[in-house]
Amino acid sequence: MTISYNWLCDYLPEAIEPEKLSKILTSIGLEVESLEKFESIRGGLSGLLIGEVLECEKHPNADKLKITKVNTGAAEPLQIVCGASNVAAGQKVVVATVGTTIYPSTAEPLTMKLAKIRGVESQGMICAEDEIGIGTSHEGIIVLPGTAVPGTPAAEYFQPYTDWIFEIGLTPNRMDAMSHYGVARDVCAYLTHHQGEAKLKSPYGKDFVVKDNSLPISVTIENKEACQRYAGVSISGVTVGESPKWLKERLLAIGVRSINNIVDITNYILHETGQPLHAFDAAGIAGGKVIVKNLPAGTPFITLDEKQRKLGAEDLMICNAEEGMCIAGVFGGMKSGVSAGTKNIFLESAWFHPVSIRKTSVRHDLRTDAATRFEKGVDISQCVEVLKRAATLIAEIAGGYISSEIVDVYPDPKPRTEVSLSNHYLKKLSGKNYHPDAVKRILTSLGFEIVREGLDEIRVAVPYSKPDITLPADIVEEVVRIDGLDNITIPASITISPAVEQLAGKEALKDKIAGWLVGQGFTEILTNSITNSRYFEEEVLAVTVKMINNLSEELNVLRPSMLETGLESIAYNLNRRNQNLQFFEIGKTYFTKETGQYREEEHLCLYLTGAGHEDSWREKARPQDFFRLKGLASAILELCGLPDIHFANENGQDAKLALYSGKKLMGELVKVDAKKLASFDIKQAVFVLDIRFDALLDAVAAQKIRYREVNKFPTVQRDLALVVNRSVTYDAIEQTVKKIRLPRLKNMRLFDVFESDKLGAGKKSMAVSFLFSDEEKTLTDKEVDAMMGKLIQGFETELAAEIRK
């Protein structure tokens, strides 16, 4: 990136010496790879003087030479032998005295010496244009107007442009520094941090006056992804010609060739603000319409370099009502470009998608300055301000007037990215303690907006000029580099301590459960913790955390329950014909305590609806049910290594069960009632398992891991069919078995339920399989029979069961 010192100083509160400025730039991450002096006239006319020819006589020994006496402001005039045919007494000329070095246009530098030419001493040289580098003519010496004062330094008279040029090695993410104004912003941020407030001088602000609306041009964006903003304005009555001296010098200093005043202004604005512009000859905009769209693949298009190119389907084009005019953000077209005969122009300022521009630029091998900036991402917020700046300059320099209102098509305004940064993280990453006020001062001077401040955290809105900043680490980089990369302290010793992650166990448990659930066919969801108060009754809202500055009327409370946001996701999918759903979410609920403080709880929620699987040739799809939910609840607790898993119907509702591990409540299983489902327009059954994750974590932490040898002895299986009342649940059977306490009973499972009037009125048969094992020996039939006898006795006593033969 080439930066002009003089140009840069226009935006600084005061000039800084080039060497010092070079150190500042490198310190803030804009590494200066070279600093060289620029002179529009090589040598800067140093040592050359304005002289007056007092006498001019023919040389006695040469027909083409003349001997002159020249007044250069010294006490005595100089005798100079001159071979120019046009030299004459009374002329004001440019003189190179003895010791002065001249820099010819096409030759090496030459230092003047006292010389004798054909026997006559010559004390210098009267110069032609090409001899001192101000032109290429050698037809005669330079003859100045009579007002020139002898003895005046030629540099003072001609005022050649001099500058210092910085070559900055920019990293690819620093598009914000691809302009003089962007670099000046960084320098002012550095000065503000180290020396006190240094206000950046803005190039904007000149009066933008629309004279009339005689040349309106409409704008339509068809590809709103590739072109997210397009602004334009018409300028009439321009005179395309040579640019003023100051403009040509500015561009020449950074290596940009002057073309004409219109094109030069667009190039000037590009290097000033980083925003590419394009000027169209308004006469070439057929139908008075600008349409941003893609043309069919293979469409031929002639660009400004007079080459015909075949367009790709992905190439974004700026078109008129009939044809393409310009490859958007890359290169102009032959028919619509500004020429010497152009009188009216349409000026474009737009934002094109970096990926689209990059692909087109590479495809056609057109690596233009505009494409280089668009592909890195330009500031979408400055399109109109830059357009006003350029239009005002054109009207001022090219003699035109603004002949339309600004057309600004911005279909979907981009929100500013917000990033939070904690003081702890800043210190951890930078290795340095920064005062919060210093951090705020640095960020605000770079264009960040403070959104929120906390005791240990600051949240900022990122300026549009910095699209690369999305993470807290990016904010740390901004703070550190403005403080000065050279100011990073290197400690005398480095101490390394093993990291102890307090949440490692919690996160590992989450990953374990999430991985298992995904293996069971579940999909993880992440719902908004801010929800709608209309979902909840007044008694629930009494302890709900309400938003003070809510985002909308619909999002006004922090959720007191996971159910409602989960049902929103289910309804969203059902409306899109996704009928069979298995979701899980790990999230938090929020409550207000009586003391006015807030409390939050973490939950693991499972949501089942529709069929458990699709129809197949082996079996038909079966709908999700409460038993599937119970199985999942037991499996999750077993996965976590928890003992004594059981369920309790505590409130007598068939659609709700409490889940326990031992005496500790772990969660609940619910079949969502029809009224709640109707409020979300859900017409199929939904089953929800809500596990209190904090309770689960505590229970897991309390468990001790024990290892034992795999049993070498065989197991014995016995089945038992119990005829019981229809009201008896399998859980009651399990609880009865637990009371009997048979240590060698390793497992039991229900494998059949049969109901028939033949069993008796209100009866059913439940077939249960029991698995016995001893870790020290092989069980005998007598021992197994004894244990089965205890079980039968218990069932008969506790459940009034009959043993079905």
Side-chain angles (χ1 to χ4, degrees):
M1 181 64 195
T2 304
I3 295 293
S4 157
Y5 169 76
N6 292 343
W7 199 344
L8 186 62
C9 287
D10 284 350
Y11 314 115
L12 302 180
E14 58 183 25
I16 304 171
E17 293 181 358
E19 289 290 344
K20 183 179 179 182
L21 187 55
S22 175
K23 292 179 181 178
I24 291 175
L25 291 173
T26 299
S27 178
I28 60 178
L30 303 176
E31 183 183 0
V32 176
E33 296 177 342
S34 68
L35 173 61
E36 296 180 356
K37 190 171 184 179
F38 170 82
E39 296 168 322
S40 59
I41 299 175
R42 197 163 55 129
L45 304 180
S46 177
L48 297 173
L49 298 172
I50 303 301
E52 180 181 8
V53 180
L54 301 176
E55 300 176 9
C56 181
E57 299 177 356
K58 186 178 179 182
H59 195 293
N61 302 319
D63 294 336
K64 294 183 179 181
L65 296 179
K66 295 177 182 178
I67 302 172
T68 64
K69 295 286 185 177
V70 182
N71 172 23
T72 59
E76 296 292 331
L78 301 179
Q79 178 176 280
I80 298 175
V81 176
C82 179
S85 60
N86 66 329
V87 64
Q91 291 176 336
K92 302 292 178 65
V93 294
V94 179
V95 178
T97 58
V98 174
T100 298
T101 300
I102 61 173
Y103 294 81
S105 300
T106 58
E108 292 300 314
L110 177 66
T111 300
M112 295 293 99
K113 297 178 181 179
L114 189 64
K116 278 192 176 183
I117 302 175
R118 294 289 180 96
V120 177
E121 186 177 82
S122 181
Q123 297 172 319
M125 184 173 75
I126 302 175
C127 303
E129 282 186 4
D130 66 331
E131 291 171 333
I132 57 174
I134 67 172
T136 58
S137 174
H138 194 68
E139 293 179 356
I141 61 170
I142 302 169
V143 179
L144 302 176
T147 55
V149 179
T152 302
E156 182 180 323
Y157 181 85
F158 286 99
Q159 295 185 343
Y161 184 75
T162 61
D163 202 347
W164 288 93
I165 301 301
F166 301 94
E167 284 295 336
I168 297 175
L170 281 182
T171 52
N173 64 318
R174 290 303 311 280
M175 61 72 52
D176 59 301
M178 294 187 72
S179 67
H180 287 77
Y181 189 60
V183 173
R185 182 190 294 111
D186 275 9
V187 174
C188 285
Y190 176 89
L191 295 175
T192 297
H193 176 61
H194 291 277
Q195 299 176 14
E197 185 176 0
K199 193 172 182 180
L200 180 68
K201 293 181 180 178
S202 173
Y204 310 120
K206 285 189 176 182
D207 292 337
F208 175 80
V209 179
V210 179
K211 182 178 179 181
D212 58 37
N213 199 29
S214 59
L215 189 58
I217 292 176
S218 66
V219 174
T220 303
I221 302 176
E222 292 188 6
N223 188 339
K224 296 178 182 178
E225 175 63 26
C227 177
Q228 297 182 16
R229 188 175 192 181
Y230 191 101
V233 68
S234 300
I235 306 166
S236 298
V238 299
T239 301
V240 179
E242 187 178 359
S243 293
K245 181 172 180 286
W246 69 266
L247 180 54
K248 291 193 291 184
E249 289 173 342
R250 281 282 169 92
L251 295 177
L252 181 63
I254 59 172
V256 178
R257 178 176 60 90
S258 176
I259 299 174
N260 60 52
N261 49 10
I262 304 299
V263 175
D264 288 355
I265 287 171
T266 61
N267 285 332
Y268 178 82
I269 295 296
L270 169 69
H271 289 276
E272 178 184 57
T273 66
Q275 173 67 45
L277 302 173
H278 188 74
F280 296 92
D281 187 332
I285 304 179
K289 296 179 181 179
V290 169
I291 306 169
V292 186
K293 63 180 181 179
N294 298 82
L295 295 178
T299 301
F301 181 71
I302 301 175
T303 48
L304 278 172
D305 55 3
E306 301 183 7
K307 292 182 180 179
Q308 186 182 84
R309 291 178 162 85
K310 298 289 185 181
L311 299 177
E314 295 182 352
D315 294 336
L316 187 68
M317 296 294 293
I318 309 300
C319 306
N320 57 33
E322 299 174 358
E323 60 184 349
M325 299 188 295
C326 171
I327 302 177
V330 180
F331 210 43
M334 191 68 189
K335 293 183 180 180
S336 63
V338 173
S339 64
T342 298
K343 293 300 179 184
N344 305 319
I345 66 170
F346 178 74
L347 191 62
E348 162 198 287
S349 177
W351 188 97
F352 301 117
H353 199 287
V355 174
S356 173
I357 298 301
R358 173 71 178 177
K359 288 181 177 179
T360 297
S361 174
V362 171
R363 182 183 298 113
H364 296 291
D365 194 24
L366 290 170
R367 306 299 296 143
T368 60
D369 282 344
T372 301
R373 280 152 176 88
F374 277 127
E375 70 186 25
K376 294 182 185 300
V378 299
D379 184 349
I380 195 171
S381 69
Q382 71 172 357
C383 288
V384 171
E385 284 301 316
V386 171
L387 190 64
K388 289 180 179 179
R389 162 83 167 148
T392 304
L393 269 179
I394 290 173
E396 178 184 320
I397 293 172
Y401 61 90
I402 298 167
S403 54
S404 78
E405 297 291 343
I406 286 180
V407 180
D408 182 18
V409 182
Y410 195 3
D412 300 303
K414 294 181 68 174
R416 292 177 71 170
T417 301
E418 293 188 6
V419 182
S420 295
L421 174 68
S422 68
N423 295 334
H424 171 74
Y425 185 76
L426 174 59
K427 180 182 177 182
K428 178 181 177 181
L429 220 60
S430 67
K432 186 174 181 178
N433 268 321
Y434 287 95
H435 194 281
D437 290 343
V439 174
K440 286 193 294 181
R441 189 164 56 248
I442 288 173
L443 294 178
T444 53
S445 62
L446 287 173
F448 290 82
E449 180 183 333
I450 307 301
V451 175
R452 187 177 65 249
E453 291 183 64
L455 292 176
D456 186 52
E457 186 178 75
I458 186 172
R459 187 168 182 82
V460 296
V462 180
Y464 291 102
S465 60
K466 296 178 179 289
D468 63 299
I469 293 181
T470 57
L471 302 172
D474 299 328
I475 304 293
V476 174
E477 179 187 358
E478 295 294 287
V479 172
V480 169
R481 69 180 187 81
I482 295 302
D483 180 46
L485 298 174
D486 294 339
N487 294 328
I488 296 176
T489 55
I490 300 176
S493 61
I494 299 177
T495 303
I496 300 176
S497 301
V500 179
E501 179 55 66
Q502 295 180 348
L503 299 177
K506 182 178 183 178
E507 296 304 317
L509 183 62
K510 286 182 180 179
D511 288 344
K512 182 178 181 179
I513 295 172
W516 185 83
L517 287 170
V518 170
Q520 296 297 313
F522 278 78
T523 300
E524 184 172 10
I525 61 173
L526 181 64
T527 60
N528 194 347
S529 58
I530 305 174
T531 188
N532 197 329
S533 60
R534 70 178 178 83
Y535 295 150
F536 308 100
E537 302 292 338
E538 287 299 326
E539 58 187 31
V540 176
L541 291 174
V543 293
T544 298
V545 180
K546 299 175 179 63
M547 304 292 292
I548 296 175
N549 297 315
N550 47 298
L551 299 174
S552 67
E553 292 183 5
E554 292 76 23
L555 300 174
N556 54 3
V557 295
L558 290 177
R559 62 184 174 198
S561 164
M562 299 285 290
L563 174 62
E564 287 71 21
T565 53
L567 291 178
E568 285 180 339
S569 292
I570 290 174
Y572 181 88
N573 280 270
L574 292 178
N575 290 337
R576 286 154 182 79
R577 298 179 178 271
N578 295 326
Q579 305 293 326
N580 305 322
L581 305 172
Q582 295 188 138
F583 290 156
F584 78 94
E585 179 178 15
I586 300 174
K588 291 182 178 181
T589 56
Y590 307 86
F591 306 92
T592 303
K593 296 181 180 179
E594 293 181 358
T595 59
Q597 296 177 316
Y598 301 113
R599 173 174 59 90
E600 58 183 47
E601 295 178 357
E602 197 157 16
H603 299 256
L604 165 64
C605 284
L606 275 61
Y607 305 90
L608 303 177
T609 189
H613 59 80
E614 302 290 342
D615 285 334
S616 71
W617 63 274
R618 297 183 62 183
E619 59 179 327
K620 294 292 184 181
R622 290 185 299 176
Q624 302 279 14
D625 56 27
F626 219 76
F627 301 108
R628 161 85 166 144
L629 196 64
K630 283 183 64 179
L632 289 166
S634 297
I636 290 173
L637 266 57
E638 288 175 3
L639 180 70
C640 297
L642 300 186
D644 192 16
I645 302 165
H646 61 278
F647 303 89
N649 188 345
E650 296 180 335
N651 55 12
Q653 296 181 21
D654 293 336
K656 189 172 185 179
L657 286 179
L659 171 64
Y660 284 87
S661 172
K663 296 182 179 180
K664 191 165 186 177
L665 178 64
M666 305 305 297
E668 63 182 17
L669 296 76
V670 177
K671 179 182 179 182
V672 183
D673 65 80
K675 182 179 178 182
K676 175 69 76 173
L677 294 178
S679 66
F680 290 88
D681 198 25
I682 297 175
K683 298 179 176 61
Q684 61 188 53
V686 177
F687 302 90
V688 178
L689 168 61
D690 185 352
I691 295 178
R692 300 177 179 179
F693 195 81
D694 293 327
L696 179 64
L697 186 65
D698 292 341
V700 170
Q703 294 298 308
K704 292 183 179 180
I705 298 175
R706 296 182 176 89
Y707 297 92
R708 63 184 179 186
E709 186 180 4
V710 176
N711 193 352
K712 298 181 290 185
F713 299 98
T715 58
V716 178
Q717 179 179 324
R718 294 286 179 90
D719 297 336
L720 198 61
L722 305 174
V723 178
V724 295
N725 291 328
R726 289 184 181 178
S727 61
V728 174
T729 63
Y730 179 66
D731 183 63
I733 296 175
E734 284 187 322
Q735 296 305 317
T736 300
V737 173
K738 288 178 182 178
K739 290 179 182 179
I740 298 173
R741 295 182 181 178
L742 298 175
R744 289 183 287 187
L745 176 60
K746 303 303 180 183
N747 192 24
M748 60 180 288
R749 65 183 181 86
L750 178 68
F751 66 88
D752 185 51
V753 177
F754 174 69
E755 295 183 6
S756 173
D757 292 338
K758 294 180 180 180
L759 297 175
K763 298 289 185 178
K764 66 179 177 181
S765 174
M766 302 178 72
V768 184
S769 177
F770 300 92
L771 197 65
F772 300 95
S773 178
D774 193 311
E775 296 179 0
E776 297 180 355
K777 64 176 183 176
T778 300
L779 290 173
T780 64
D781 288 342
K782 184 177 180 181
E783 290 171 321
V784 175
D785 290 340
M787 289 186 283
M788 289 297 295
K790 290 182 179 181
L791 290 172
I792 292 171
Q793 184 180 356
F795 296 143
E796 291 174 341
T797 303
E798 297 289 334
L799 305 176
E802 299 177 13
I803 307 304
R804 190 178 173 199
K805 304 297 184 181

